[in-house]
Amino acid sequence: DAGVIQSPRHEVTEMGQEVTLRCKPISGHNSLFWYRQTMMRGLELLIYFNNNVPIDDSGMPEDRFSAKMPNASFSTLKIQPSEPRDSAVYFCASSLTVLGGYTFGSGTRLTVV
Amino acid sequence: GESVGLHLPTLSVQEGDNSIINCAYSNSASDYFIWYKQESGKGPQFIIDIRSNMDKRQGQRVTVLLNKTVKHLSLQIAATQPGDSAVYFCAENRGNTDKLIFGTGTRLQVFP
């Protein structure tokens, strides 16, 4: 298995532009998580899905952020409009059960200038 | 103005020595704990886990200790190697959800 696949690895965009981050979870995993990592706040859970349904989005910072999971093999995290304070590394992770932990992707480093 | 960021605690150890990384967790209802290792430019990677009905669990070169009385978790790495240099996070789970809440992390530096 190729693991959790995120794209792009790096994204540089101008303030005000729309940004879409993509994630392909491990086949067979039924839970998917989006985390954001910054020096200010560490690793924060933004949202998670179970069987493609959003279960908890209490970590989503504001309405500019949205996430979708149209099927079991794909999820997106969208920021519109982007702001410099959104600059961070965004991780996607998937799991079959929390026991044994999640498998993380390599992350997308987002820079908003 | 100046921004205040997380100041990661750093543990520096000599190659071959044992390392102990500590973590205080927040919720007495948490019943499952994981240690993750994050190398530069990579996502966190599972190391070892422990359930709240245990106070010790051993893996290969690693041991996790859990003290529920004081809500404290530690990771012991035996014979630390340069490849162990990374940031280590503890994560806690409350059994009624699939959420993992991560601690702030500790940077381990191994010098020859």
Side-chain angles (χ1 to χ4, degrees), chain A residues 35 37 39-40 56 100 102, chain B residues 4 6 32 36 98-100:
Chain A
Y35 279 83
Q37 187 173 39
M39 285 303 296
M40 292 282 288
D56 186 338
Y102 312 155
Chain B
V4 178
L6 282 176
Y32 178 63
Y36 278 89
D98 284 335
K99 291 167 62 170
L100 280 176

Side-chain angles (χ1 to χ4, degrees), chain A residues 68-103:
Chain A
K68 293 183 180 179
M69 192 164 186
N71 57 62
S73 59
F74 184 66
S75 177
T76 60
L77 178 68
K78 186 175 294 187
I79 308 172
Q80 165 64 18
S82 57
E83 296 182 4
R85 61 193 167 116
D86 302 330
S87 297
V89 180
Y90 290 81
F91 288 103
C92 175
S94 70
S95 73
L96 183 57
T97 166
V98 69
L99 300 178
Y102 312 155
T103 301

Side-chain angles (χ1 to χ4, degrees), chain A residues 25-80:
Chain A
I26 290 174
S27 177
H29 283 188
N30 58 4
S31 293
L32 183 140
F33 307 83
W34 282 102
Y35 279 83
R36 177 171 69 175
Q37 187 173 39
T38 62
M39 285 303 296
M40 292 282 288
R41 292 194 167 95
L43 267 167
E44 303 173 272
L45 177 64
L46 300 178
I47 184 170
Y48 83 92
F49 297 83
N50 187 259
N51 293 323
N52 313 338
V53 175
I55 301 299
D56 186 338
D57 65 355
S58 59
M60 295 286 262
E62 49 197 273
D63 291 346
R64 297 185 298 107
F65 286 68
S66 62
K68 293 183 180 179
M69 192 164 186
N71 57 62
S73 59
F74 184 66
S75 177
T76 60
L77 178 68
K78 186 175 294 187
I79 308 172
Q80 165 64 18

